[in-house]
Amino acid sequence: MSDKLALLQHPGGSLLSHKPECCKWRSSAAQPRKPISWSLICGLMLFCLGMISLFTGHVASDLEWYSQRLMKRRSYFKLEGINKGPIDIWQSDYAKYFYGCSKRSRSFPLAIRERSSNGYLLIAASGGLNQQRTGISDAVVVARILNATLVIPELDHRSYWKDDSDFANIFDVNWFISYLAKDVTIVRRVPDKFMRSMDKPPYTMRVPRKSPPEYYLDQVLPILQRRSVLQLTKFDYRLANNIDDELQKLRCRANYHALRFTKPIQELGQKLVTRMRAMANRFIAVHLRFEPDMLAFSGCYFGGGDKERNELGEIRKRWETLTDVDADEERRRGRCPLTPHEVGLMLRALGFANDSYIYVASGEIYGGEETLRPLRDLFPNFYTKEMLANEDIKPFLPFSSRLAAIDYIVCDESDVFVTNNNGNMAKILAGRRRYMGHKRTVRPNAKRLGPLMMERDEMDWDTFARKVKAFQKGFMGEPDEMRPGRGEFHEYPYSCICERPLSDVVDNKRGDPRSEQGNQGLRERSKEEEPVLGAKDNEA
């Protein structure tokens, strides 16, 4: 199976593994030494020189590649002193040493053209906006593994979010196709002529979660080659975390560069960022997952008395497979989201002053204004997309995914991103902010903060704040939190983070303009070239 994958990545098809044989020369006293001819000596010398030249040439050509891979695996363990002392709550002092790097290598073969591909791959993404985003990014990689032509993915219209938006309503289709043109061939739909010629409708299947490339080659590829059109359903987290680095970089190119929001969404999102910046030089974005369905599913208790227990208990009955859980035990095990009040307490304990500006990204909050009031009291400069956008937001109100996209933009542009949960948006944005320069990202250490919040009335403020700061070390978006194999790749994109040469860091301190891409991240103006849109891509 590994042979198949190797052949896939190297179209030349050669699986060479030359190992030099070591020869041992033994002298024997029992045998007289024979004179060695000068021609033999010269021949051996020429052979050795040739081998040395070949070997050194090979090493020189691959030295940079090997050093980058080695550095990437070890760089996060080199910085001494991270998280050992007080940290800057607004930005990481170590962010300047790292940057996002997902540029395709010269050895990564070009995409297979549509006529030469193994068939058309249809993808049905599931869940809300950010869950769909993981599925789309992985679908690009799977299409590459299968040498398939990817059809623009279908979005889920029947999930909890009940949004009938299509891919083209949220993402820039032309940009998506063009940006990835060298990696994967993408089309808007299967050609009608091809569909009419098919004897059977497209075959549909669901692959297991986190399937490795070998599974796709063994189980999916034969079906695709036989049926020519194949649909994969419920496509979210269906690709393994640990795959080849070149495929990981493709994952990053798809997620962080190719998936660009449509112009109306982008313009409104940037308008809200501008309005926040007009009021404050820096601001915090808080993503709150506190919807009734989400709270009911968790089985947790949030201090609302019998009214809360009855209301959430009724909602919980929608899931027949859920069993009764001990709410306090769930809390102690870190399985409950922080309440808005607890998020505010955590931020104040970390050192954020009450005059800090915060942007709150959320859907429906259980308890409404009453639930949000304690957070407002802790941070009076409190804003939401509805407050900032005014009439501009009306066209987006019927579409939860488009509203989520607006929140995504503001959260991404914020100086500090904070979440009360470990959901899809929290993971996706944490990974993106690491890639874009390790911007400060605060994730609650739920296993430690849960029990602490339950006991906060039993201690003074200084003790509480000291414990919060101690528990949150390692959960503040520092570079050393990035360790290969930790968590979801979308949350920890370690293969796409490189170390900046020390000389560049020094130049940055001296104001060298070459280092401007450093602390502010690469954004969409990174080293990678923007594609040139073809005539077809420019069509409406």
Short mmCIF file of all heavy atoms in Angstrom, two decimals, residues 312-333:
data_model
loop_
_atom_site.label_atom_id
_atom_site.label_comp_id
_atom_site.label_asym_id
_atom_site.label_seq_id
_atom_site.Cartn_x
_atom_site.Cartn_y
_atom_site.Cartn_z
N LEU A 312 -33.72 22.84 29.27
CA LEU A 312 -32.68 22.10 28.56
C LEU A 312 -32.97 20.60 28.58
O LEU A 312 -32.61 19.88 27.63
CB LEU A 312 -31.31 22.38 29.18
CG LEU A 312 -30.83 23.84 29.10
CD1 LEU A 312 -29.40 23.96 29.62
CD2 LEU A 312 -30.90 24.37 27.67
N GLY A 313 -33.64 20.13 29.63
CA GLY A 313 -34.00 18.71 29.70
C GLY A 313 -34.97 18.33 28.60
O GLY A 313 -34.86 17.25 28.01
N GLU A 314 -35.93 19.22 28.29
CA GLU A 314 -36.88 18.95 27.21
C GLU A 314 -36.18 18.92 25.86
O GLU A 314 -36.47 18.07 25.01
CB GLU A 314 -37.98 20.02 27.21
CG GLU A 314 -38.99 19.88 28.32
CD GLU A 314 -39.73 18.55 28.23
OE1 GLU A 314 -40.21 18.21 27.12
OE2 GLU A 314 -39.83 17.86 29.26
N ILE A 315 -35.25 19.85 25.66
CA ILE A 315 -34.51 19.87 24.39
C ILE A 315 -33.66 18.60 24.27
O ILE A 315 -33.54 18.02 23.18
CB ILE A 315 -33.61 21.12 24.31
CG1 ILE A 315 -34.47 22.38 24.31
CG2 ILE A 315 -32.74 21.08 23.06
CD1 ILE A 315 -33.66 23.68 24.36
N ARG A 316 -33.09 18.15 25.36
CA ARG A 316 -32.21 16.98 25.35
C ARG A 316 -32.95 15.72 24.91
O ARG A 316 -32.33 14.79 24.39
CB ARG A 316 -31.60 16.80 26.75
CG ARG A 316 -30.48 15.78 26.81
CD ARG A 316 -29.81 15.81 28.18
NE ARG A 316 -28.86 14.72 28.34
CZ ARG A 316 -27.61 14.76 27.89
NH1 ARG A 316 -27.19 15.83 27.25
NH2 ARG A 316 -26.80 13.73 28.07
N LYS A 317 -34.25 15.69 25.09
CA LYS A 317 -35.04 14.51 24.70
C LYS A 317 -35.06 14.28 23.19
O LYS A 317 -35.45 13.22 22.73
CB LYS A 317 -36.47 14.66 25.22
CG LYS A 317 -36.59 14.59 26.73
CD LYS A 317 -38.03 14.78 27.18
CE LYS A 317 -38.14 14.75 28.70
NZ LYS A 317 -39.54 14.96 29.16
N ARG A 318 -34.63 15.30 22.42
CA ARG A 318 -34.60 15.14 20.96
C ARG A 318 -33.62 14.05 20.54
O ARG A 318 -33.77 13.43 19.49
CB ARG A 318 -34.20 16.45 20.29
CG ARG A 318 -35.14 17.61 20.54
CD ARG A 318 -34.60 18.90 19.90
NE ARG A 318 -35.39 20.06 20.26
CZ ARG A 318 -35.06 21.31 19.93
NH1 ARG A 318 -33.96 21.53 19.21
NH2 ARG A 318 -35.81 22.33 20.29
N TRP A 319 -32.58 13.82 21.36
CA TRP A 319 -31.58 12.81 21.05
C TRP A 319 -31.86 11.56 21.89
O TRP A 319 -31.57 11.50 23.09
CB TRP A 319 -30.17 13.34 21.35
CG TRP A 319 -29.78 14.51 20.50
CD1 TRP A 319 -29.34 14.49 19.22
CD2 TRP A 319 -29.79 15.89 20.88
NE1 TRP A 319 -29.07 15.76 18.77
CE2 TRP A 319 -29.34 16.65 19.77
CE3 TRP A 319 -30.15 16.58 22.06
CZ2 TRP A 319 -29.23 18.03 19.80
CZ3 TRP A 319 -30.04 17.96 22.09
CH2 TRP A 319 -29.59 18.67 20.97
N GLU A 320 -32.44 10.56 21.26
CA GLU A 320 -32.86 9.37 21.98
C GLU A 320 -31.69 8.58 22.55
O GLU A 320 -31.85 7.83 23.53
CB GLU A 320 -33.69 8.46 21.05
CG GLU A 320 -34.98 9.13 20.57
CD GLU A 320 -35.75 8.22 19.63
OE1 GLU A 320 -35.24 7.11 19.32
OE2 GLU A 320 -36.85 8.61 19.20
N THR A 321 -30.52 8.72 21.95
CA THR A 321 -29.38 7.92 22.38
C THR A 321 -28.63 8.54 23.56
O THR A 321 -27.75 7.89 24.15
CB THR A 321 -28.38 7.75 21.22
OG1 THR A 321 -27.97 9.05 20.75
CG2 THR A 321 -29.02 6.98 20.06
N LEU A 322 -28.96 9.79 23.93
CA LEU A 322 -28.26 10.44 25.04
C LEU A 322 -28.74 9.87 26.38
O LEU A 322 -29.93 9.66 26.59
CB LEU A 322 -28.49 11.95 25.02
CG LEU A 322 -27.89 12.71 23.84
CD1 LEU A 322 -28.18 14.20 23.98
CD2 LEU A 322 -26.39 12.49 23.76
N THR A 323 -27.81 9.65 27.26
CA THR A 323 -28.13 9.15 28.59
C THR A 323 -27.95 10.26 29.62
O THR A 323 -27.30 11.27 29.35
CB THR A 323 -27.22 7.96 28.96
OG1 THR A 323 -25.86 8.39 28.89
CG2 THR A 323 -27.43 6.81 27.99
N ASP A 324 -28.50 10.06 30.78
CA ASP A 324 -28.35 11.04 31.85
C ASP A 324 -26.90 11.10 32.32
O ASP A 324 -26.23 10.07 32.44
CB ASP A 324 -29.26 10.69 33.04
CG ASP A 324 -30.75 10.84 32.69
OD1 ASP A 324 -31.05 11.65 31.79
OD2 ASP A 324 -31.57 10.14 33.31
N VAL A 325 -26.43 12.30 32.57
CA VAL A 325 -25.06 12.48 33.04
C VAL A 325 -25.07 13.33 34.31
O VAL A 325 -26.04 14.05 34.58
CB VAL A 325 -24.17 13.16 31.97
CG1 VAL A 325 -24.03 12.28 30.74
CG2 VAL A 325 -24.71 14.54 31.59
N ASP A 326 -24.01 13.23 35.07
CA ASP A 326 -23.84 14.04 36.27
C ASP A 326 -23.26 15.38 35.85
O ASP A 326 -22.10 15.47 35.41
CB ASP A 326 -22.89 13.33 37.25
CG ASP A 326 -22.76 14.06 38.57
OD1 ASP A 326 -22.78 15.30 38.57
OD2 ASP A 326 -22.64 13.38 39.62
N ALA A 327 -24.05 16.45 35.94
CA ALA A 327 -23.63 17.77 35.45
C ALA A 327 -22.36 18.26 36.14
O ALA A 327 -21.47 18.81 35.50
CB ALA A 327 -24.77 18.77 35.65
N ASP A 328 -22.28 18.07 37.45
CA ASP A 328 -21.08 18.52 38.18
C ASP A 328 -19.85 17.74 37.74
O ASP A 328 -18.75 18.30 37.61
CB ASP A 328 -21.29 18.37 39.69
CG ASP A 328 -22.27 19.39 40.24
OD1 ASP A 328 -22.52 20.39 39.55
OD2 ASP A 328 -22.79 19.18 41.36
N GLU A 329 -20.02 16.45 37.52
CA GLU A 329 -18.88 15.63 37.09
C GLU A 329 -18.42 16.04 35.69
O GLU A 329 -17.22 16.08 35.41
CB GLU A 329 -19.27 14.15 37.10
CG GLU A 329 -18.15 13.20 36.74
CD GLU A 329 -16.97 13.28 37.70
OE1 GLU A 329 -17.17 13.68 38.86
OE2 GLU A 329 -15.85 12.94 37.27
N GLU A 330 -19.37 16.34 34.80
CA GLU A 330 -19.01 16.82 33.47
C GLU A 330 -18.20 18.12 33.56
O GLU A 330 -17.25 18.32 32.83
CB GLU A 330 -20.27 17.05 32.63
CG GLU A 330 -21.03 15.79 32.26
CD GLU A 330 -20.21 14.88 31.36
OE1 GLU A 330 -20.01 15.23 30.20
OE2 GLU A 330 -19.78 13.81 31.85
N ARG A 331 -18.60 18.96 34.48
CA ARG A 331 -17.91 20.23 34.69
C ARG A 331 -16.48 20.00 35.16
O ARG A 331 -15.54 20.61 34.65
CB ARG A 331 -18.69 21.02 35.74
CG ARG A 331 -18.13 22.39 36.04
CD ARG A 331 -18.46 23.34 34.94
NE ARG A 331 -18.50 24.71 35.42
CZ ARG A 331 -18.66 25.73 34.61
NH1 ARG A 331 -18.78 25.53 33.32
NH2 ARG A 331 -18.68 26.95 35.08
N ARG A 332 -16.32 19.12 36.12
CA ARG A 332 -14.99 18.85 36.66
C ARG A 332 -14.08 18.20 35.63
O ARG A 332 -12.86 18.34 35.69
CB ARG A 332 -15.10 17.94 37.90
CG ARG A 332 -15.75 18.62 39.10
CD ARG A 332 -15.62 17.78 40.36
NE ARG A 332 -16.24 18.43 41.50
CZ ARG A 332 -17.49 18.25 41.87
NH1 ARG A 332 -18.27 17.40 41.20
NH2 ARG A 332 -17.98 18.88 42.92
N ARG A 333 -14.65 17.49 34.68
CA ARG A 333 -13.86 16.84 33.65
C ARG A 333 -13.58 17.75 32.45
O ARG A 333 -12.99 17.33 31.47
CB ARG A 333 -14.56 15.56 33.19
CG ARG A 333 -14.70 14.52 34.30
CD ARG A 333 -15.57 13.36 33.89
NE ARG A 333 -14.96 12.53 32.86
CZ ARG A 333 -15.52 11.43 32.34
NH1 ARG A 333 -16.74 11.06 32.75
NH2 ARG A 333 -14.90 10.74 31.43
#
